[in-house]
Amino acid sequence: MHVTSLLNVSENLRFALSNARISYLFQVSPEGLLEHVYFGQRIADEGALPAVPRRAYRCTTLEFQGVENYNLSDTPQEFPLFGTSDARQPMFHAINSAGNSTNVFVYHSHEVLADKPPLDGLPSARGGDSETLIVTLKDAVSQLRVKLFYTVYRDHDVIARSVQIFNDGEQAVELSHALSSSLDLPADDYELLHLRGTWSREMNEQRMDLPAGRFTLESASGTSSNHHNPFIALMQKGANEQHGQVIATALVYSGNFAISVEQGEFDSVRVSAGINPFNFRWLLSAGESFTCPEVLHCFSAQGLGGMSQTWHRFIQQQISPPQFNGVARPTYLNSWEAAYFDVSEDVVLSLADKAKSLGLDMLVVDDGWFKGRNDDTSSLGDWYSDTAKFPNGIEATAEKVKHKGLKFGLWFEPEMVNPESDLYRAHPDWVIHVPDRKLTTGRNQLILDLSRSEVVDYLFERIDSTLSCGNIDYVKWDMNRLMSEIGSAGLAKQQQLETAHRYMLGVYGLLGRITAKYPQVLFENCASGGNRFDLGMLRFMAQTWTSDMSEPIGRLAIVNGASYLFPPSVLASYIGPVPSHQNDRLSSIKLRGEVGFFCAARGLSLNVEDIDNDEQALKEFIELYKATATDLASARFYRLKYTNNEVCWQLTSADHKTIYLGYFHILSAPNLPYRRAHLRGLDAGANYQLKSNGEKYNGAALMRMGIDLPYVHAMQFSNDTDYMDRGDFSSRLMVFDKC
Ligand code: GLA
């Protein structure tokens, strides 16, 4: 079906945002309130609707402004507020200039834009073939005005929402809740899926029945955090990888967030998302406006697999920096595990020779290259080359590395400072802090106060002066601690609780300036691994260091969990040392290489001795990684199987010509079942040749009958390695070419 207009506004002010597959409907009530009507699979928006917001007498309930039976506690709304008969999570809450918190917004006007405007100071999804509806609501008493933004895309089953709040009055108001979206859904049986974790165990899938009451995922320590990703999927009970309806929500924001799902007294469900109201206040002075981060809602009628396909394509096309879309990521050697802080020009050049001889594309100099940085007790903030290690500066070393025919990458942790640094000695008030309190440290470091423009300017100047040499192709942008004693010397007393959000605005401002000046530099987002792995950071950085957990068995859950939202193109991995520095496990090069295969950015972080011991196997993986790098940058990813003991993933190249199937079997046992994998999304009429044995299999058979997976033995009974794997931690990568 071809839908020409994505947006339809009826005479009685019903708004319909639809593409060929989804519809999002809401309307203005006779009282002027915005009522939510529907979000789901496309429906025709003309004629009478069989289900509309209802009004019925219910004992003891309040009636909004005396309107008979109009009780907002079970009315689906687009901009719900507290104080006029609805006591659920409000989207907005403010102490107005009269000192009370009752605000009532009614419809004022609307406009339609042919595309999507960017958000003021915040990252947001790009537009394209899209239309944006802006509805303006006003509160005549408090003289506040809000603009609700809705973007609908023709090719993506995603609705983008955000809010801008204006104070048109003459006195300041204090915002406590400035959420970006609220979605009211009908009473039904739902389940939730979210991603939780901690350092080195990020992104663990958590599935549960929707509880009664309010369930909140949140962060309050300055980053979106590895505790809960700013993402949630609400699904029809029993939905699985291929079937069932799913409504998922993700924030384009990297700071303190809250996503809550509330099943109220009448069982209807409210999904709210935005900046965490906890420990947040914003003084909105007369004439000022406040922009809320963007929230994305995605709908899939094809289960969680369909949801992931929608997110992956959306992130690749509308979020990731476009210049890296579909572009092969360089394979690299990172100096960290090879040298830790003992980097120097000699060490770097010899690592470069090693990288070159292995066939890698890039050498990355990690921590330790800047002034006085010999361990983690000092120097963060002093972004000048350590001339004892790099006599002519890191820029000169970069040039030498490039002469060897390699790309050059460099580590920064720009947002941090050690008290033991020239920067801190000169500007002790440039850190996030509150007066008269001893400061909490993390890895001996403090967080620079990026809510202050002079701090952002300093960092821009330092990074710019290094990148301007033109020989730096890649930056690993690290961020290794959480906020504490949260306050800013640059803000007035009444504005102290603005610090964390203003910090994020500073980070985005800095990233925006740097990435605009150096569009060809590939930035990798890292925050002790996945402590700030979100769509806000991905708007600037094409890839993320998924987790410090580089041991492959520990990585399986992380990559599987991440794949609900993130495509392989944004995931980075490397082959690390054994025993693993994270969980002490021994694993084969084969397993490390094959799990790592499923991330688009792949590298090594090994010392020279480890490299020499496994040189041949490493060379083979690097060759495979390079040959498949373009496919990985735009491949489709399918979760075929995920249990405590077995994981099976499929990747299909964007041209549908190559299929990669990974099977990972964790612990062996005697007499295990024979397993099959049912491939997805193949051409039923085509044949696919399995590279390892040359057999051609029909697409329909591979999808419907499935292909035999290796049988995992506790003991080796046969040498038929085509069908056998042995022992714990076995893995198999199968490659099929479409004939
Ligand atoms: C963090 C990162 C590591 C490395 C070190 C350097 O721990 O996760 O990969 O870059 O910082 O100090």
Side-chain angles (χ1 to χ4, degrees), residues 227 395 457 494 561 625:
H227 308 172
E395 297 85 353
D457 289 344
Q494 314 89 294
Y625 285 178

Side-chain angles (χ1 to χ4, degrees), residues 455-470:
V455 176
V456 172
D457 289 344
Y458 167 79
L459 292 173
F460 177 77
E461 188 279 322
R462 282 291 82 224
I463 299 168
D464 180 31
S465 93
T466 309
L467 298 191
S468 64
C469 73

Side-chain angles (χ1 to χ4, degrees), residues 664-695:
F664 308 104
H665 193 281
I666 300 176
L667 295 182
S668 71
N671 283 342
L672 287 168
Y674 295 127
R675 292 289 194 203
R676 290 180 190 178
H678 295 86
L679 276 61
R680 294 200 194 133
L682 304 189
D683 178 348
N687 284 330
Y688 294 82
Q689 184 169 37
L690 179 59
K691 269 194 167 158
S692 61
N693 66 6
E695 290 289 351

Side-chain angles (χ1 to χ4, degrees), residues 336 366-367 373 411 443 476 478 480 526 528-529 545 548:
W336 185 237
D366 207 280
D367 203 347
R373 179 75 167 175
W411 180 94
R443 210 188 183 205
K476 178 175 168 188
D478 211 343
N480 282 316
C526 175
S528 308
W545 176 236
D548 279 350

